[in-house]
Amino acid sequence: MSIDLSIITNYGPQLLLGFWMTIKIVVGAIILGMPFGLVLALGRRSRLAIIRFFATSFIEVFRNTPFIIQVFMLFYVLPFYGLHLPAEYVGVVALAAFGSAYFAEVIRGGIDAVAKGQLESARATGMSDWQAMRYIILPQTLPIILPAMTNQTLSLVKESAILSTITVGELTMAAITVQGETFRPFEAFIMVALLYWALNETLAIIMRRVERKVSRRTSSSSRAKVVRAAPAATEG
Amino acid sequence: MAAGSETKHNFLEMTEIRKSFGDMTVLHDVSLSVSQGEVICIIGPSGCGKSTFLRTANWLTPADGGEVRLAGELVGGVPDARSVSTQTKELNALRARVGMVFQNFNVWPHLSVLENVVCPQMVVAKRRRGEAEKQALAALAEVGLDDKKSEWPDNLSGGQKQRLAIARVLAMDPVLVLMDEPTSALDPELVSGVLNVLKRLAQKGMTMIIVTHELGFASSVADRVVFMEEGRIVEEGAPDVILQTPKTERLKLFLEKLNITAFKPNSDSAGHPTMDSGS
Ligand SMILES: Nc1ncnc2c1ncn2[C@@H]1O[C@H](COP(=O)(O)OP(=O)(O)OP(=O)(O)O)[C@@H](O)[C@H]1O
Ligand SMILES: [Mg+2]
């Protein structure tokens, strides 16, 4: 099978358009999903049982069902309740919800990895639970969770391909379209695979920079903690 | 050292504090009343409930029964008629004025030495940065750490970490300081530096409750020594009375045991368990 390079020149712009949509959707999912993941992680620690229940249920449901089913639920079931959203919005929301459940577990593991005495000493100065989190615990959690957060982000990029099943015009959708028009699956999908790979590699490089920056600011023993906590934080 | 005529009795009033973990009752209705300016040292065998009792004083460990009042204000009590949000708000306000020093320091490794002391002042006491830094530098100077203000806590020795923890407490202008074995985690040669800081605080009239195994320190600094065993206060009184002429068999045994294991039974420097109340 020879490679037909004209497909790249003819359909490249169409694929790049899909690529751009993938980037927008993933960025949107991160912007929504990470803060919501934090909310879920804190919700699991709430004093109120009802909040703990909702946070835990949300995390369990989204972690233990296939992403494609979650997407179908949102896309096909919501309209029955009168909620008609464009496919791209459903895609962002679905990916954010799915991602937040995983982000929440990573953040929770990071919080647990910070020594208990840190929270106690903060509370003993008169800080509220939230102030202690904000100023003492979460800043120490950040370097611990960054590697696992990176992994989850990279897997969100890959999962976003599923959104092609609800007609979101993202990269995989574009590849399927090109393939259908040219009957050249190899060229179409190899280019798409390269684009996903490039995106994830770029993200990984950026995150590694951030990791280095964050761990340079923190001291030697918290760096040691990062290493010790990493397996716990990446599980699940 | 009691602050003479200004002494206010019942400054901290802990009444019939009861605490259980599971089926095990750790504190059996323990009561303690502390005057302003008084220095109390709590001694007793491992596991007798010293830490638990100290931690009920600022309700870091909520008791199952009894109540704690500071200058008449309710720190915590069972039952408590206040709503949960009122309890939390009032407790946080009280804790801002009650310092706590932990055995393993609990300095905050992500903040510089200076920021460790600045942070609670700004977050809790709502001071502006300028004022908070001024107070922080004064507190660091008081514990001899002013030249380390830009260091990371992890680059400090154990003794320096503990002095940082003390500076963090002092900068909040506490009316009461609780300390749980502040020198137990330190290498022997670093103990006296921390104890000297505590002595100076005592001389300045700071009200303190210190759980300690340093009998030499207790006898020279405490106004009152409290001996606990199995979740009860067994004996309390002036340090020379308690440490030299124990009334109960249990205290006698406890002191003997400590003396046998003491590094230097009649050491003149603070920091070693000793019966010597002089100097
Ligand atoms: N959070 C907890 N959960 C269960 N049991 C606890 C808890 N904290 C303390 N205990 C138990 O309560 C008892 C009293 O503990 P506490 O720490 O107050 O003793 P202590 O006098 O401070 O001892 P040490 O001198 O070893 O510090 C011990 O038997 C201990 O095992
Ligand atoms: Mg203890």
Side-chain angles (χ1 to χ4, degrees), chain A residues 118 120-121 135 217 219 221, chain B residues 55 107-110 152 154:
Chain A
Q118 293 288 309
E120 288 194 334
S121 57
Y135 295 101
R217 269 195 341 198
S219 43
S221 89
Chain B
R55 290 161 57 91
V107 292
W108 300 320
H110 64 297
W152 290 109
D154 283 345

Side-chain angles (χ1 to χ4, degrees), chain B residues 105-119:
Chain B
F105 328 129
N106 289 338
V107 292
W108 300 320
H110 64 297
L111 298 176
S112 71
V113 165
L114 183 69
E115 289 306 313
N116 260 270
V117 187
V118 164
C119 177

Side-chain angles (χ1 to χ4, degrees), chain B residues 48-275:
Chain B
C48 71
K50 304 181 296 291
S51 298
T52 308
F53 184 57
L54 189 77
R55 290 161 57 91
T56 60
N58 65 352
W59 223 242
L60 204 57
T61 297
D64 300 327
E67 67 168 35
V68 178
R69 284 182 182 275
L70 181 70
E73 283 178 72
L74 190 60
V75 175
V78 182
D80 193 329
R82 302 171 298 176
S83 72
V84 173
S85 68
T86 311
Q87 280 175 35
T88 316
K89 228 176 85 199
E90 294 183 1
L91 181 57
N92 286 338
L94 277 161
R95 280 176 179 164
R97 298 188 281 137
V98 178
M100 188 162 219
V101 174
F102 299 83
Q103 184 173 350
N104 50 0
F105 328 129
N106 289 338
V107 292
W108 300 320
H110 64 297
L111 298 176
S112 71
V113 165
L114 183 69
E115 289 306 313
N116 260 270
V117 187
V118 164
C119 177
Q121 293 186 67
M122 292 182 71
V123 173
V124 179
K126 306 289 177 212
R127 289 178 188 152
R128 288 165 184 281
R129 172 159 287 278
E131 195 202 342
E133 281 188 4
K134 213 177 93 202
Q135 288 260 8
L137 288 173
L140 286 171
E142 184 137 3
V143 302
L145 279 183
D146 35 346
D147 56 330
K148 299 279 184 197
K149 65 179 166 110
S150 318
E151 277 291 349
W152 290 109
D154 283 345
N155 297 335
L156 301 182
S157 73
Q160 290 169 333
K161 278 183 197 163
Q162 193 60 299
R163 284 186 277 143
L164 169 57
I166 293 169
R168 189 170 71 190
V169 159
L170 293 183
M172 296 290 283
D173 298 320
V175 296
L176 168 69
V177 179
L178 311 169
M179 304 204 184
D180 192 359
E181 302 196 35
T183 60
S184 292
L186 297 179
D187 293 335
E189 71 271 19
L190 300 175
V191 168
S192 63
V194 171
L195 290 185
N196 286 336
V197 169
L198 300 189
K199 271 186 188 163
R200 271 207 306 281
L201 282 182
Q203 276 153 14
K204 283 188 175 173
M206 182 70 78
T207 314
M208 294 193 279
I209 306 180
I210 308 171
V211 175
T212 185
H213 292 297
E214 305 283 348
L215 297 188
F217 169 77
S219 74
S220 63
V221 172
D223 297 302
R224 187 157 31 122
V225 171
V226 171
F227 172 62
M228 284 184 71
E229 199 184 43
E230 290 178 2
R232 292 189 172 83
I233 292 178
V234 177
E235 265 190 68
E236 60 181 301
D240 44 345
V241 176
I242 292 290
L243 299 175
Q244 311 284 4
T245 58
K247 283 196 287 287
T248 58
E249 207 51 44
R250 298 160 129 188
L251 178 53
K252 258 179 223 161
L253 274 172
F254 174 74
L255 292 174
E256 265 164 31
K257 239 187 258 163
L258 259 194
N259 247 355
I260 290 163
T261 54
F263 176 59
K264 268 193 283 176
N266 267 313
S267 159
D268 51 357
S269 68
H272 301 297
T274 167
M275 295 297 294

